[in-house]
Amino acid sequence: MKRIHSRPPQGKGAAVLDLAVLQNPLDYIAEDHMREREICAMLDQLAAETSYDPDTGDQIRCFLKYQLPAHLEDEEIDLFPMMLKRCEPEDEIEPVIRELRGDHGHAATDGAVILGLLDTPGKGFSARACAQMVAFAKHARRHLIVENAIILPIARARLTPDDLRIMLQHMLERRGLDRAMETL
């Protein structure tokens, strides 16, 4: 299976995606969710260790700096508005999306804090820094439960093939992959 790299194009921490995932943007989002769970485990590991592993730090930094912002935009700019347009009243999706948008604001702010911690690890992390990493991971996991159990199944039922095509195009553009796909 052909694989490509998402940002950053060079160096440690570049995400490798299976091109089959790119055929359905909801699968792409689910893949991002799996990666975020891995990052949460890494944060927990960093918080529990007495020494700093630079490779783990690089992977977390890459995710928070490049992948998470693109993922949040995927949902904020495409997925959530499309769902609000397509969902039926009985889906009661508006309050769920409102809560998730609030979580996204926290993820962006708290992610910047975690990036700052990773930039200055010294000989390890303070108890406060460790608590911040664990809290970020815990909050992210709770958020992912809602997205995986509620948002993605409803999106799969309600979004049209045209919605998915538009969403995928925007996702590729955000990652600088739209031109790469043209050459395949």
Side-chain angles (χ1 to χ4, degrees), residues 157-175:
R158 299 290 187 208
L159 298 184
T160 67
D162 196 45
D163 292 335
L164 297 175
R165 183 190 56 73
I166 291 167
M167 186 186 310
L168 178 60
Q169 183 60 40
H170 292 167
M171 291 167 76
L172 293 171
E173 289 169 1
R174 274 183 209 103
R175 289 159 178 83

Side-chain angles (χ1 to χ4, degrees), residues 3-4 6 15-39 63 67-68 71 74-75 144 147-148 152 156 171 175:
R3 295 170 84 74
I4 57 173
S6 177
V16 179
L17 296 172
D18 186 331
L19 285 179
V21 173
L22 297 178
Q23 294 176 11
N24 184 320
L26 300 176
D27 292 342
Y28 196 118
I29 288 172
E31 181 89 3
D32 279 348
H33 290 173
M34 291 298 293
R35 179 69 177 142
E36 189 169 356
R37 283 192 177 281
E38 292 172 10
I39 294 301
F63 179 82
Q67 294 171 294
L68 184 60
H71 173 73
D74 295 340
E75 294 178 347
L144 291 171
E147 288 193 346
N148 288 332
L152 288 179
R156 289 182 195 285
M171 291 167 76
R175 289 159 178 83

Side-chain angles (χ1 to χ4, degrees), residues 5-153:
H5 290 271
S6 177
R7 283 188 187 156
Q10 301 280 332
K12 294 180 182 177
V16 179
L17 296 172
D18 186 331
L19 285 179
V21 173
L22 297 178
Q23 294 176 11
N24 184 320
L26 300 176
D27 292 342
Y28 196 118
I29 288 172
E31 181 89 3
D32 279 348
H33 290 173
M34 291 298 293
R35 179 69 177 142
E36 189 169 356
R37 283 192 177 281
E38 292 172 10
I39 294 301
C40 290
M42 290 178 186
L43 284 167
D44 287 340
Q45 177 186 353
L46 270 184
E49 304 228 345
T50 56
S51 63
Y52 177 72
D53 176 18
D55 289 336
T56 300
D58 286 347
Q59 289 181 52
I60 295 168
R61 188 179 292 105
C62 178
F63 179 82
L64 294 175
K65 199 171 184 179
Y66 299 103
Q67 294 171 294
L68 184 60
H71 173 73
L72 295 177
E73 287 181 2
D74 295 340
E75 294 178 347
E76 293 287 334
I77 295 170
D78 290 307
L79 180 61
F80 293 165
M82 287 177 179
M83 289 188 72
L84 290 170
K85 182 179 177 182
R86 300 286 182 213
C87 285
E88 299 294 328
E90 65 265 16
D91 294 329
E92 298 182 25
I93 203 68
E94 288 181 39
V96 176
I97 289 176
R98 189 171 34 254
E99 177 185 338
L100 292 173
R101 283 183 164 153
D103 287 350
H104 285 179
H106 287 292
T109 302
D110 297 345
V113 170
I114 301 300
L115 280 170
L117 296 174
L118 294 173
D119 287 339
T120 56
K123 294 181 181 179
F125 296 101
S126 68
R128 183 172 188 260
C130 290
Q132 288 173 300
M133 288 188 276
V134 169
F136 179 89
K138 181 179 178 180
H139 192 264
R141 284 186 187 101
R142 184 191 58 78
H143 177 87
L144 291 171
I145 289 168
V146 173
E147 288 193 346
N148 288 332
I150 298 171
I151 294 295
L152 288 179

